[in-house]
Amino acid sequence: MASLDSVSIAILLGAVLVMAGILSSLLALRFGAPLLLFFLFIGMVAGEAGPGGLRFDDVHTTYVVGSVALALILFDGGLKTRFQAIRAVLAPSMVLATIGVLLTALITAPVAKYALDLNWTQALLTGAVVASTDAAAVFLLVHAQGLRLRPRVGATLEVESGTNDPFAVFLTLTLVKLLSLGDASAGHVAMEFVQEAVLGTLIGVVGGRLVVLAMNRVALPQGLHAPFVCTAALVIFGLAQIAHASGFLAVYLAGIIIGNRPTRAHNSVVTFLDAATWLAQIVMFVMLGLLVSPERLVGSIIPAVGVALVLMFVARPVAVFLCLQPFRFNWREKMFVSWVGLRGAVAIFLASIPMLVGLPKASLYFDVAFVVVIISLLFQGWTLAFAARKLHVALPRTDRGPRRIELDLPGQLEQQLVGYAVRPKSLYLKRNLIPSWSKPTLVIRDERILTPAEAEPVTAGDYIYLLAPPEKAEALDRFFVDMPPSTAPDPHLLGDFMVSGEITLGDLAAIYGIAVDPAQSSLTLADYFDIHLDHAPTVGAALPIDSIDLVARSLGGGRVNVVGLRLPEDEDPAPPKLTRRQAFKAKLKRGWITLSGA
């Protein structure tokens, strides 16, 4: 009975710790503190050296839980990654995720060697442990601070932080093998890396396609789709690890494949994974906090701080500037990417591997990683928004999107029901605008269900449900947020090639002699973009109208406010002739698109 009581007490204390971590997140969000530090703090307070007095030194359990948590976090990141958004930044992101990690480790190693009194292999292992950018830390803090980054910068950080973990894990494991088993040839190490990368890619792509096939062919009971996908992700991870491939790369690629293909219950899967990955991060950081020994930290804290400062101010910036040099990023973008190299649970997780295999000075790697993570989250995490604004990579904030309800329709994948509350200043209510690819289906008013004809006119406070393709559902958001105040058109914009987004199609037809549909003559150019684009407007988006093209030149409040006119006599410049290097990159991209089916 005593053993059963101890199990019950362990369950109770574990649940209380996780609940405390969740509740502490409310304080972190309110006061702007880096959220992940609260989870580490909860673990430290509950640990042996804190008031909680819990003795926890099970590195094996920590490694298993950390592997599962990291696999789910990477899978969730892949699931939310749109291949169209990352295609343009795939090359720089992959260079950062591989060569960038290696350069960061190499530059950090000499400092670790002399500051911590290590040999070269041990110093390089220290650099490898702290070299990778943590995806969870980056995007949790970016979203918590409400930042909107420039698309290329945001996509580069997203792909780099999602794909550098597999290389960091490979580098760490290779160095651990060298320290525990002896020397290995450079050729052997290179072959192992190629094997892990190729097999990981193959297992991830094939596994992702099989999951999509199973989701759409097998009639699972309602509510089991999300657990099935999470379990399938862990199966892919486990198979890759058993095959001596990169399980983390495999599970990330599987997420990209599944997220970019139409599947049943996609929205419930995403919602479930949001909760699962959030819980995984909390459990991971609380367990890592329990492993920390403040008494042991005292002896290594000063050299560990030196390693952290060199990593932040020298190693990461040098690696980023060198890796992004061929890709025409400006210096502000490179500086921001350098500063957002946040270290999180991945570094501490990697530092637990030497402890797991019993390497000499294993606790030193863990302590250094812990100090690096604390300093990174404190300094870089707290100044993230400030750096984005000062370096001009942050876009103006927009109102938080409306609460969107998405319901899958059994028997088909092409349409789903998308529901919104109708706001009093929304584009839909004030202009009666809706895209041509969506169809209002029902309206809920005063707890009564009405057809659109019965509800006419729709009023503020109603709930409207529309049929729309799943991949375009998010584009409906801009029709149901409050519109920003309209500004008078700037007369200087009414020139030969630039016009205000507030002028109507009728006025444009009168000025330029083009033919427009009389039913649409009262629409403004901003309205025309909202209706005919199947995604939120972006700078450079173009739409034809009669013999000219309308090109979005500037946005304000999520809408087009300046439009450029591309007239018939304008000839597009001939595409530049590709160099051999550019042609090779283009072939690689086409090969990846063919392989992934994205």
Side-chain angles (χ1 to χ4, degrees):
M1 293 300 293
S3 60
L4 292 178
D5 288 341
S6 65
V7 171
S8 300
I9 292 172
I11 293 174
L12 174 63
L13 291 177
V16 169
L17 284 178
V18 172
M19 184 176 291
I22 294 172
L23 294 177
S24 69
S25 67
L26 300 176
L27 294 174
L29 289 173
R30 179 167 184 174
F31 294 106
L35 189 56
L36 300 176
L37 287 179
F38 273 82
F39 305 142
L40 279 176
F41 176 73
I42 292 294
M44 292 177 65
V45 168
E48 186 177 3
L54 289 179
R55 180 177 177 81
F56 181 81
D57 55 4
D58 191 344
V59 180
H60 182 270
T61 300
T62 303
Y63 179 78
V64 172
V65 172
S67 297
V68 172
L70 189 55
L72 287 177
I73 290 169
L74 288 174
F75 180 75
D76 181 57
L79 196 69
K80 295 176 181 176
T81 299
R82 299 273 73 83
F83 192 77
Q84 292 79 4
I86 69 171
R87 189 178 298 169
V89 299
L90 200 56
S93 300
M94 295 307 296
V95 172
L96 279 174
T98 51
I99 299 174
V101 169
L102 182 60
L103 286 175
T104 303
L106 290 173
I107 297 171
T108 307
V111 180
K113 171 179 168 56
Y114 294 107
L116 300 168
D117 191 23
L118 304 173
N119 63 39
W120 280 111
T121 307
Q122 292 171 331
L124 189 56
L125 176 58
T126 305
V129 162
V130 298
S132 67
T133 301
D134 188 83
V138 170
F139 287 97
L140 182 62
L141 293 179
V142 167
H143 295 155
Q145 297 185 25
L147 280 177
R148 290 179 63 234
L149 301 176
R150 293 189 181 278
R152 184 170 69 158
V153 174
T156 300
L157 285 170
E158 177 179 347
V159 181
E160 182 224 353
S161 59
T163 56
N164 67 4
D165 293 340
F167 186 76
V169 171
F170 167 79
L171 190 58
T172 301
L173 289 175
T174 300
L175 292 167
V176 168
K177 288 179 184 178
L178 286 175
L179 288 170
S180 58
L181 302 177
D183 294 333
S185 66
H188 178 71
V189 172
M191 284 300 297
E192 277 197 353
F193 173 68
V194 171
Q195 174 185 326
E196 289 205 9
V198 172
L199 279 181
T201 300
L202 183 62
I203 292 173
V205 171
V206 173
R209 284 181 171 272
L210 288 176
V211 173
V212 170
L213 187 64
M215 287 278 289
N216 294 335
R217 295 288 181 87
V218 179
L220 291 173
Q222 188 72 23
L224 289 184
H225 294 88
F228 170 78
V229 172
C230 287
T231 307
L234 295 178
V235 168
I236 292 170
F237 172 76
L239 285 175
Q241 293 290 92
I242 291 173
H244 299 289
S246 173
F248 296 107
L249 177 61
V251 79
Y252 181 72
L253 293 178
I256 292 179
I257 297 299
I258 297 169
N260 284 274
R261 307 285 291 181
T263 58
R264 299 185 188 280
H266 175 78
N267 303 302
S268 63
V269 170
V270 171
T271 303
F272 181 87
L273 268 169
D274 280 341
T277 54
W278 178 247
L279 183 61
Q281 290 178 64
I282 292 176
V283 171
M284 195 173 176
F285 271 88
V286 169
M287 290 185 70
L288 294 172
L290 286 170
L291 279 177
V292 174
S293 172
E295 295 178 2
R296 196 179 63 221
L297 278 174
V298 173
S300 57
I301 190 167
I302 294 178
V305 169
V307 171
L309 294 178
V310 170
L311 179 67
M312 286 193 305
F313 295 105
V314 181
R316 170 72 177 179
V318 169
V320 168
F321 272 75
L322 289 176
C323 290
L324 295 185
Q325 188 61 35
F327 299 106
R328 291 184 294 182
F329 282 75
N330 63 48
W331 71 270
R332 295 177 185 274
E333 293 171 333
K334 293 176 185 175
M335 284 292 294
F336 184 74
V337 173
S338 301
W339 190 242
V340 188
L342 289 164
R343 270 60 192 169
V346 174
I348 307 178
F349 166 72
L350 293 178
S352 69
I353 297 176
M355 298 176 69
L356 184 65
V357 300
L359 285 183
K361 299 187 177 181
S363 59
L364 181 61
Y365 304 125
F366 188 90
D367 294 343
V368 170
F370 184 82
V371 172
V372 167
V373 169
I374 293 292
I375 292 177
S376 176
L377 292 178
L378 278 175
F379 287 91
Q380 294 173 304
W382 243 311
T383 58
L384 202 63
F386 176 79
R389 289 191 294 269
K390 287 297 181 182
L391 294 172
H392 305 295
V393 298
L395 298 175
R397 292 188 182 186
T398 57
D399 291 336
R400 188 178 295 274
R403 184 171 182 267
R404 181 176 67 249
I405 298 172
E406 299 180 46
L407 303 174
D408 295 296
L409 299 177
Q412 56 82 52
L413 301 173
E414 289 74 24
Q415 298 285 324
Q416 66 179 8
L417 274 179
V418 186
Y420 294 94
V422 179
R423 296 187 182 183
K425 297 180 181 179
S426 64
L427 191 61
Y428 173 75
L429 188 63
K430 296 190 73 172
R431 302 280 182 86
N432 197 29
L433 295 179
I434 208 71
S436 57
W437 41 263
S438 65
K439 179 182 179 182
T441 304
L442 61 91
V443 176
I444 298 178
R445 176 185 298 158
D446 298 329
E447 301 185 1
R448 293 183 297 127
I449 299 177
L450 308 171
T451 66
E454 292 171 338
E456 189 66 31
V458 174
T459 60
D462 289 348
Y463 292 85
I464 185 168
Y465 286 81
L466 310 96
L467 282 175
E471 67 274 10
K472 297 181 180 180
E474 188 176 350
L476 284 170
D477 287 359
R478 66 184 186 274
F479 294 89
F480 294 94
V481 296
D482 288 334
M483 296 173 58
S486 297
T487 56
D490 185 346
H492 295 95
L493 295 178
L494 300 177
D496 289 333
F497 299 100
M498 290 285 191
V499 295
S500 167
E502 293 298 317
I503 75 167
T504 65
L505 292 180
D507 293 335
L508 190 70
I511 296 172
Y512 291 96
I514 60 173
V516 299
D517 184 349
Q520 295 187 330
S521 61
S522 60
L523 293 179
T524 66
L525 297 186
D527 296 339
Y528 189 76
F529 273 93
D530 281 331
I531 291 175
H532 292 284
L533 281 180
D534 60 359
H535 54 80
T538 57
V539 174
L543 286 174
I545 179 169
D546 195 27
S547 59
I548 68 174
D549 288 333
L550 305 179
V551 182
R553 295 299 186 193
S554 176
L555 302 179
R559 304 193 75 209
V560 178
N561 55 18
V562 178
V563 178
L565 306 182
R566 194 155 55 203
L567 303 179
E569 61 269 21
D570 293 343
E571 293 186 0
D572 292 333
K577 186 177 180 180
L578 296 179
T579 64
R580 290 184 180 180
R581 181 180 176 184
Q582 291 170 330
F584 179 69
K585 287 182 182 178
K587 287 182 180 179
L588 285 179
K589 286 183 180 179
R590 287 196 297 270
W592 165 252
I593 295 168
T594 302
L595 181 64
S596 65

